[in-house]
Amino acid sequence: MDAKEFTNGLAELRGVRDQIKKAEKELTKLQANRDQRIKALGVYPKAKPDRLAPAAGVSVKDIVALVPQLAPTSQEEEGPDVKPSTAEPQAPVEPTGASAPAMSPIAAQPATESLPSTGDTEAATPNEQPVITVAAAQAEPAEQATPATDPATPADASATRELPSIPEGAAGDRWFTVARNLVSTRPDYSQQPRPTVFLDATTGDLIHRDQRVRLDLGQASAHEILTAVFAHVPDSIERIYVTAGDPWHRDADRYPYLKDAVRAWLDAPMPNGWKVESRRGNDRLAGHFVPDRHGGTPVGRWERGDQHVEIRSVSEWFDPEGADVATVRHALTLLWQALKTDWPDVVLMGSPSQTGRDLWARTIPTKAGARWADGYPVMSDEIRQLLHATSGQGRTELITPPRVPEQLPALHEFDRTLAYGKHTWASGVGAPQRVTAQTFASWSEKEKANALFAPSHWQVKVTIPDDWNHVGILPSAVEGDRAWTYPHQAGRTFTTWAGGAEVNLALRNPITPWKIEILDGLLWESGTPLKEWSEKLKTAWSRLSAAAAHAGTDDLRKAYKLASRGARSILLYGIGGFAQRPTTTSGSVPIGSESEIPRDAKVTSISDDTVAWERTKMSRNPNAHPEWASGVWSAARAALLSTRAKSADGQTVHVGALHLPPGSVVAFRTDAIYTTVMPDWPYNGEPGDYLLKGTTPHSVTAPTVESEFYTLQSLGRSLLQEQQHDLI
């Protein structure tokens, strides 16, 4: 075999790999279809798992996991989230709830309304009284062309994912507590910095303090990197930041999935006494970290005697964009200096998420008599699990023909600047109040509206208006990678969970109000646990951004620009760090020893001699506050559709997707809108403002898959850079 045959063979092998991926994707769809059918058949009163299992080609355990009520009642434990019942399972009943109040639509607000000085977008401040109308107000829609729709199109191509509910009665009421002896308190110690070096794994350039050397990294395996680095730096170095090269991706072509290549790189043999780090003092972050998602960056941790070191990517902080290794080091130095103004003892930890949580903890009030001076309590395990299961993050959606024209007249990208920083002015604190449909119905219209303006999370039954012709507002859970979709079909009814900001917007949107019925909800006391922290970070970001605009050299301008992005990452990932993922454990006991099953576990299968169980729990993390992350994400998704900005003359302007013509929105990406029209939205460089980030001013074919979309995204950004360069 010669080199040409080998190259051709590799190409054919990649083709087989792509066919396998395609088949696996189709298999995933079939499995989701199968699971939905199992759930549908599982509501039949006489359904038995041993009859469903052979028909579906799965085990009894799999059946019980999908339809828990098919597990024998005698094996169910009376945990806090289980309501024992001897009745046979019944078909689900369509939920009914309390109607949400009619509220004045956004478009009806006076054009001269001024923005609250510290208020959130479209949400009332705690002292502001929302306007309540007697009848449902409807904004007169502008005369715009309605995009072609296909009534035969299914509501969603993905199978609906069932979301959890709060148990009825006392069993559910017990959820509404705080975790015992678990509070977020201000640390009484200072973080210790880890000596760090910076390495360009492409060129081999290494920066240690002010010294620069060129290394021979060989094939850039983990062992070769450690050997080369420690030949020039002292053993006290504990962190190696890779600024370019991504060495853990070097064998990506040999593996079907990128994470497999990363895992192989991390787990490769390590001679000369190196081994995977097991634990260092109280540091739980020992061992390697392999991201589940594409694009995530791994962290490798090794030890040799008393020597400890980690290799990680600086892209956790920002995209270096080809910057020299010395410029990257300078950027993190500038970031540290900017933060030191407000946090004299600041230490940049391994990631912006770790750094963000540490800096936040140092803003917790300690003054005697101050509200929450004893720390912010952590909610019960059940409420944290509920929020994890029912709260999405950024909105990612590609809208394809016939909802948009097959040939787009243009495509423009508008991205919200430091968006999450706009939504940290108020958050829910303490144990939430439960608001059942009955409780909500008993309130006055003013009390209902106040609740929807407060930090809250609601289970709702939603009905989209019959004449709706725009994008969806509220999320709906689906199986598969997307996790959440945004139903838009006129007349559709669905049940979901959503934050107060989104429910509020559905009722007040500038087109026509949606019908909302409250089924259950969580309502918190409003507090400001994130305000001081986010204000300091926004100040650092603003200073660094301004310095970048006035820097005297290209390298200095780049360093300040990267440093400002680092401040943004601390805020962004710090908020994400408050969300907490549950961990799942499983086990089995012999028949007759069911008392050994943990009380909060559920039975997943029963065989001739064993009972298998599974338990999902939250760790005792004193800084676990998913209610804060959930609230910020909900407010940001709502602002993507409608929010307020201040024009040059100080007037309020309403901006967002719902203020664009129907059929003009092509995609959403977390904080960005891609549209075929060029709106005249003001940009003042403030958090939450929409910045034009890309523009394709000519006709293009509408993307139908992600790869086509990202191609157009890159094209638009390149064209805008060319336009801006021509203006200089």
Side-chain angles (χ1 to χ4, degrees), residues 331 334-335 337-339 416-419 536-553 556-569 571 683-688 691:
L334 292 172
L335 173 60
Q337 291 172 342
L339 296 174
R416 296 186 71 215
T417 297
L418 200 65
K536 289 180 176 180
L537 288 174
K538 285 186 286 187
T539 298
W541 167 81
S542 180
R543 290 172 180 166
L544 291 167
S545 298
H550 297 91
T553 66
L556 187 58
R557 184 180 304 109
K558 172 69 75 172
Y560 273 116
K561 181 180 178 182
L562 295 179
S564 70
R565 291 181 179 176
R568 172 188 179 275
S569 294
L571 180 63
Y683 183 75
N684 304 303
E686 296 294 325
L691 171 67

Side-chain angles (χ1 to χ4, degrees), residues 69 86 139 142 147 159 208 240 274 282 309 328 337 379 444 487 539 605 701:
Q69 65 263 33
T86 57
H208 174 225
I240 301 172
W274 289 107
N282 294 323
V309 66
V328 172
Q337 291 172 342
M379 292 181 301
S444 67
T539 298
S605 67
T701 301

Side-chain angles (χ1 to χ4, degrees), residues 372-402:
W372 310 112
D374 294 330
Y376 292 103
V378 175
M379 292 181 301
S380 69
D381 286 1
E382 293 82 8
I383 291 297
R384 282 182 282 149
Q385 289 186 53
L386 178 72
L387 288 171
H388 171 73
T390 60
S391 300
Q393 192 172 348
R395 178 169 181 166
T396 300
E397 183 180 15
L398 178 62
I399 301 173
T400 58

Side-chain angles (χ1 to χ4, degrees), residues 147-148 399-411 663-666 675-677 696-704 708 712 715:
I399 301 173
T400 58
R403 292 180 61 192
V404 297
E406 292 187 1
Q407 200 67 23
L408 305 178
L411 187 62
S664 67
V665 178
V666 178
T675 175
T676 60
V677 299
T696 306
H698 53 75
S699 177
V700 293
T701 301
T704 57
E708 295 172 351
L712 290 178
L715 174 63

Side-chain angles (χ1 to χ4, degrees), residues 104-289:
S104 58
I106 291 168
Q109 293 177 351
T112 57
E113 180 185 9
S114 60
L115 289 172
S117 58
T118 59
D120 199 355
T121 55
E122 292 304 339
T125 63
N127 297 323
E128 180 182 353
Q129 295 299 322
V131 179
I132 307 300
T133 58
V134 177
Q138 178 171 332
E140 191 68 27
E143 294 183 4
Q144 294 159 345
T146 302
T149 57
D150 181 6
T153 301
D156 200 303
S158 302
T160 301
R161 175 165 51 92
E162 185 176 355
L163 293 175
S165 298
I166 304 172
E168 296 180 1
D173 292 341
R174 285 197 294 269
W175 290 18
F176 290 78
T177 58
V178 297
R180 183 176 299 177
N181 299 324
L182 193 62
V183 293
S184 303
T185 56
R186 191 167 188 152
D188 56 1
Y189 59 88
S190 297
Q191 291 288 353
Q192 297 302 310
R194 295 190 178 184
T196 301
V197 296
F198 296 80
L199 174 68
D200 184 325
T202 301
T203 65
D205 286 339
L206 176 75
I207 295 288
H208 174 225
R209 296 185 176 176
D210 295 329
Q211 299 179 353
R212 181 177 188 136
V213 295
R214 175 68 63 88
L215 307 180
D216 180 1
L217 300 178
Q219 298 299 312
S221 67
H223 175 253
E224 289 171 312
I225 289 176
L226 293 181
T227 300
V229 168
F230 283 108
H232 293 84
V233 303
D235 290 351
S236 58
I237 295 299
E238 298 185 44
R239 179 176 297 135
I240 301 172
Y241 268 132
V242 174
T243 65
D246 295 339
W248 38 82
H249 293 167
R250 64 178 188 151
D251 291 330
D253 288 345
R254 295 175 51 192
Y255 297 90
Y257 298 103
L258 192 60
K259 68 178 181 180
D260 295 333
V262 172
R263 173 60 71 184
W265 187 86
L266 292 170
D267 291 342
M270 296 290 289
N272 300 333
W274 289 107
K275 64 179 182 179
V276 178
E277 186 178 56
S278 56
R279 189 174 183 87
R280 189 184 338 182
N282 294 323
D283 188 356
R284 295 194 223 171
L285 298 179
H288 301 324
F289 167 72

